[in-house]
């Protein structure tokens, strides 16, 4: 059977299996969508790496897909049986011309993690190494060696080709009205290309470590460049508790509230100050360490913002903090959210209601309600959402989820208030902005003096 | 990084301790914070900013007093961010060269392994 037939058959089989749960189409909308989403997730898991990655992309695009599908894709299991050592050693030999035992000490045959695209083995550093940033790694340091599975890139590219043909057919038959499947596949292909070259991930980890050099509570694994290549990334091994083990961390005296606030602030710093951020934050990519620090892992998916986008995003966040619907609308427009003139009033009213409704029963305020509610509001009125905007809102909502996993009562909006206020205050001192705004300010001052 | 403008406002506030009633009221509203303390809208941002500047003013005051007592180093002993950036660029370049050297070694190893 051809791969194309297998894909079509697997999808059809899994969707048909959802019919009883969806009461053959008679169930309520959310229930029907949830059943369809579950079937799609199971089909993707069965179809392998390309579809697992596609599912991960869908999980960060609430602007394009239903809440049910996004939630289901977030729960997708990316754990596959590990490949035997010999197959992994082949990749190492192809990249370095040498066996793992010649490159690292105590390279463990059994991986510590095995996902659809790569698996991670523990090893020890043979000779001391001075990383790009941070203290020297001593000989004997514990390492994590991430290795792309053989033929993973080729399999993903072949599947993308097949999926593209199916997507083009779906567009021709009018089966994909809500989103553009071909555009999504283009985006997916570009992101997979980046992710399959592990050196890009290593470079971002170095930059991240540098950006947070003054912050002793943020840790990033140091990269060992002489032992890294396109398909192999050697980094410091990090230990700690995953967010799912937070009770154990609290029992050991870790300050969960402090780390939740600090983690959320660190993310805002990535977005509002540097314009580059870890866009794949989920419980498996974060550790809380016994040193009362947060360790970031896996920099495969990264978001970038231009200085202008960064400032506009900060303004939208300030609008949420200070409940200012006009500000939110004005700066969303600068980010590409084009609200037609006849819909401005209705969107402003909806936005105002969202801003007033962010308060939770415990008195804290909720970003997720606002962010996703705003995306939904725009969707309901047929207003296109730029992909970067959707990704960022989803990332902020995820950060709130991560911070709440650490400390459920955290008020992310209150945490954002001093941060966004400071960033905007600093922007006031920007010479270009001063030059732009000064004439209007002088006119206002003169008006005040004259009246 | 974001301290400069805040410090400027704080210094201004410190030298104008008898600020006008409007500013004092803004600081109070901002300090009350949250949905209850501020009415929302564009003025709320000014209130929030005023409260933060007032906090910064207190910090500045404490810092100046500590420095006068010789308890803090002079401000110019901080790390230079531009030099740090250059150090990082050099480190990154070194990392790329380390990586390149290892790639060249692997090509050599493959060539030597040929019969």
């Amino acid at each position: 059977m051809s791969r194309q037939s297998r894909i079509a058959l697997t999808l059809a089989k899994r969707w048909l299996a959802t019919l009883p749960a969806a009461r053959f189409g008679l169930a309520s909308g959310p229930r029907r969508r949830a059943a369809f989403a579950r079937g799609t997730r199971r089909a993707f898991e069965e179809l392998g790496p390309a579809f697992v990655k596609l599912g991960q992309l869908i999980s960060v695009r609430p602007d394009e897909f239903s809440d049910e599908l996004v939630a289901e894709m977030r729960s997708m299991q990316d754990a596959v049986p590990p490949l035997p050592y010999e197959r992994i050693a082949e990749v190492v030999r192809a990249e370095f011309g040498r066996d793992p035992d010649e490159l690292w000490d105590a390279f463990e045959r059994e991986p510590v993690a095995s996902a659809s695209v790569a698996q991670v083995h523990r090893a020890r550093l043979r000779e001391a190494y001075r990383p790009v940033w941070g203290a020297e790694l001593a000989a004997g340091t514990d390492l994590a060696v991430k290795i792309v599975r053989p033929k993973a890139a080729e399999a993903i590219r072949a599947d993308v080709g097949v999926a593209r043909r199916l997507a083009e057919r779906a567009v021709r038959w009018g089966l994909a009205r809500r989103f553009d499947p071909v555009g999504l596949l283009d985006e997916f292909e570009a992101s997979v290309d980046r992710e399959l070259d592990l050196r890009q991930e290593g470079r971002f980890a170095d930059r991240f470590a540098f950006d947070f050099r003054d912050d002793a509570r943020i840790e990033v694994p140091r990269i060992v460049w002489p032992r890294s290549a396109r398909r192999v990334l050697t980094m410091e091994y990090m230990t700690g508790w995953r967010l799912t083990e937070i009770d154990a961390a609290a029992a050991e005296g870790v300050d969960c509230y402090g780390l939740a606030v600090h983690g959320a602030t660190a993310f805002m710093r990535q977005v509002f100050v540097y314009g580059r951020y870890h866009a794949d934050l989920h419980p498996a990519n974060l550790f809380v360490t016994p040193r009362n620090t947060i360790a970031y892992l896996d920099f495969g998916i990264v978001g970038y913002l231009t200085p202008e986008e960064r400032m506009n995003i900060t303004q939208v966040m300030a609008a949420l903090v200070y409940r200012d619907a006009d500000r939110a609308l004005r700066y969303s427009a600068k980010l590409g959210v084009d609200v037609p003139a006849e819909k401005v009033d209705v969107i402003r009213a909806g936005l105002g209601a969202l801003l007033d409704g962010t308060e939770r029963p415990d008195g804290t305020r909720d970003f997720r309600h606002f962010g996703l509610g705003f995306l939904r509001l725009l969707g309901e009125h047929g207003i296109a959402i730029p992909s970067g905007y959707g990704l960022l809102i989803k990332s902020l909502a995820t950060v709130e989820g991560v911070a709440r996993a650490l400390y459920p009562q955290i008020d992310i909006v209150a945490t954002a208030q001093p941060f966004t206020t400071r960033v905007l205050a600093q922007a006031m001192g920007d010479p270009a902005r001063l030059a732009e705004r000064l004439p209007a300010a002088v006119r206002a001052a003169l008006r005040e003096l004259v009246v | 990084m974001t301290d400069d403008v805040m410090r400027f406002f704080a210094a201004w506030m410190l030298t104008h301790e008898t600020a006008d009633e409007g500013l004092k009221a803004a600081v109070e509203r901002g300090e009350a914070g949250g949905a209850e303390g501020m009415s929302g809208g564009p003025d709320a941002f000014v209130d929030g900013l005023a409260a933060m500047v007032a906090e910064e003013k207190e910090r500045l005051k404490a810092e100046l007093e500590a420095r006068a007592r010789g308890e803090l180093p002079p401000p110019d002993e901080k790390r230079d961010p531009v030099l740090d950036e250059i150090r990082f660029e050099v480190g990154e370049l070194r990392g790329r060269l380390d990586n390149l050297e290892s790639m060249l070694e692997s090509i050599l190893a493959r060539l030597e392994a040929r019969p």
Side-chain angles (χ1 to χ4, degrees):
Chain A
M1 188 191 293
S2 72
R3 180 68 178 158
Q4 182 166 334
S5 310
R6 184 173 298 279
I7 292 170
L9 195 70
T10 307
L11 284 168
K13 185 181 76 186
R14 290 295 183 181
W15 284 335
L16 280 173
T18 65
L19 284 176
R23 300 197 177 177
F24 298 91
L26 297 174
S28 63
R31 197 168 163 175
R32 221 171 41 235
R33 286 196 297 272
F36 169 79
R38 202 159 43 248
T40 310
R41 193 254 302 158
R42 285 181 181 152
F44 278 21
E45 281 174 356
E46 198 178 322
L47 287 167
F51 287 85
V52 169
K53 288 278 148 206
L54 183 60
Q56 286 172 352
L57 179 68
I58 290 172
S59 78
V60 294
R61 294 298 303 274
D63 49 319
E64 295 268 21
F65 301 96
S66 70
D67 290 351
E68 292 82 1
L69 191 60
V70 167
E72 196 65 45
M73 290 301 168
R74 280 190 62 75
S75 72
M76 184 150 56
Q77 298 297 311
D78 188 10
V80 295
L83 281 179
Y85 165 74
E86 245 329 295
R87 300 285 315 279
I88 286 299
E90 275 169 30
V91 179
V92 173
R93 276 193 289 270
E95 291 291 345
F96 294 101
R98 284 190 279 172
D99 280 327
D101 292 335
E102 294 176 68
L103 298 163
W104 300 280
D105 278 341
F107 185 91
E108 289 183 5
R109 270 41 181 171
E110 291 301 316
V112 285
S114 169
S116 54
V117 168
Q119 61 187 50
V120 178
H121 290 255
R122 272 184 89 156
R124 279 209 293 273
L125 187 64
R126 187 158 269 198
E127 292 161 358
Y129 178 66
R130 189 177 153 210
V132 166
W133 196 260
E136 184 176 272
L137 291 163
T141 300
D142 277 332
L143 300 171
V145 184
K146 184 173 178 180
I147 301 167
V148 174
R149 294 163 81 97
K151 308 247 183 287
E154 293 82 348
I156 290 178
R157 287 198 187 101
D159 274 359
V160 170
V162 174
R164 187 184 298 280
R165 284 196 293 279
L166 291 173
E168 282 165 356
R169 229 172 271 177
V171 171
R172 268 202 307 277
W173 294 342
L175 295 174
R177 290 198 193 89
R178 192 173 164 188
F179 70 99
D180 167 20
V182 179
L184 182 78
L185 281 171
D186 287 340
E187 193 183 317
F188 170 62
E189 207 169 2
S191 98
V192 164
D193 274 346
R194 275 196 306 272
E195 225 180 316
L196 286 170
D197 184 351
L198 298 180
R199 291 170 301 185
Q200 301 216 28
E201 182 180 336
R203 283 181 201 126
F204 191 81
D206 282 341
R207 172 48 81 166
F208 196 95
F210 174 71
D211 285 345
F212 285 89
R213 64 193 179 281
D214 60 350
D215 189 337
R217 299 187 80 181
I218 300 289
E219 290 191 53
V220 182
R222 285 165 282 183
I223 307 297
V224 182
W225 284 109
R227 295 290 174 266
S228 297
R230 174 179 278 270
R231 290 187 292 166
V232 178
L233 187 66
T234 302
M235 65 198 122
E236 188 181 3
Y237 191 85
M238 309 297 276
T239 52
W241 295 278
R242 290 186 187 280
L243 294 190
T244 45
E245 305 159 339
I246 210 65
D247 290 344
E252 290 293 322
V254 168
D255 170 18
C256 291
Y257 174 71
L259 285 184
V261 171
H262 200 81
T265 311
F267 185 76
M268 288 179 220
R269 189 168 160 190
Q270 293 166 50
V271 172
F272 303 140
V273 178
Y274 300 124
R276 43 180 177 263
Y277 58 96
H278 191 304
D280 190 22
L281 278 183
H282 56 76
N285 286 345
L286 275 181
F287 275 152
V288 172
T289 78
R291 299 171 293 284
N292 247 318
T293 62
I294 302 171
Y296 283 77
L297 304 174
D298 200 344
F299 295 90
I301 305 179
V302 174
Y304 289 96
L305 298 166
T306 64
E308 199 184 346
E309 284 170 333
R310 185 158 48 86
M311 197 40 63
N312 292 333
I313 290 277
T314 312
Q315 290 280 11
V316 174
M317 194 67 189
L320 166 63
V321 167
Y322 293 108
R323 290 185 294 127
D324 185 347
D326 283 325
R327 187 188 290 261
L329 215 51
R330 189 162 64 247
Y331 287 96
S332 292
K334 290 190 178 191
L335 286 161
V337 178
D338 188 15
V339 180
E342 70 276 12
K343 288 187 175 167
V344 166
D345 287 341
V346 66
I347 295 289
R348 188 190 287 115
L351 200 49
L354 279 172
L355 289 170
D356 288 336
T358 52
E359 207 157 322
R360 288 153 43 106
D362 63 4
T364 61
R365 291 174 73 194
D366 190 0
F367 175 80
R368 192 180 170 79
H369 170 84
F370 165 76
L372 301 189
F374 187 31
L375 293 182
R376 202 171 298 118
L377 178 71
L378 295 172
E380 281 165 9
H381 288 86
I383 296 161
I385 302 156
S387 67
Y389 192 69
L391 177 62
L392 188 72
I393 285 195
K394 183 66 179 42
S395 297
L396 281 164
T398 307
V399 167
E400 183 176 59
V402 167
R404 280 195 200 282
L406 274 168
Y407 190 81
Q409 287 80 36
I410 189 174
D411 189 331
I412 205 87
V413 179
T415 307
Q417 185 191 343
F419 203 87
T420 48
T421 310
R422 267 182 182 275
V423 174
L424 293 182
Q426 180 63 19
M428 284 185 212
D430 175 26
R433 191 180 154 87
L434 273 178
E436 183 194 322
R437 296 291 179 92
L438 211 53
V442 169
R443 274 199 303 278
L446 284 175
R447 241 191 337 265
E448 196 64 33
L449 287 171
V450 170
V451 169
Chain B
M1 186 177 315
T2 57
D3 286 351
D4 309 340
V5 172
M6 293 297 280
R7 278 276 148 138
F8 169 77
F9 286 139
W12 179 85
M13 206 184 253
L14 188 62
T15 52
H16 294 75
E17 284 276 29
T18 51
D20 66 86
E21 292 306 313
L23 181 60
K24 281 182 188 163
V27 171
E28 268 172 34
R29 282 195 302 272
E31 278 171 351
E36 304 80 24
M38 289 180 278
S39 56
D43 291 340
F45 176 75
V46 179
D47 296 346
L49 179 61
M52 283 183 63
V53 172
E55 272 175 35
E56 189 71 33
K57 182 199 77 176
E58 292 306 320
R59 267 197 295 275
L60 177 63
K61 208 167 162 180
E63 204 179 300
L64 291 172
E65 284 166 4
R67 195 161 287 135
R69 291 194 300 270
E71 291 166 7
L72 275 181
D76 53 0
E77 281 184 17
K78 281 183 186 165
R79 283 176 76 106
D80 182 343
V82 178
L83 271 182
D84 264 359
E85 190 70 44
I86 294 171
R87 274 191 203 104
F88 175 73
E89 298 287 340
V90 170
E92 206 182 28
L93 198 60
R94 185 169 38 75
R96 282 183 189 241
L97 288 173
D98 287 343
N99 192 240
L100 196 64
E101 189 184 353
S102 133
M103 289 300 100
L104 290 172
E105 275 173 11
S106 71
I107 292 169
L108 201 62
R110 268 199 293 270
L111 288 174
E112 281 171 353
R114 273 188 183 174

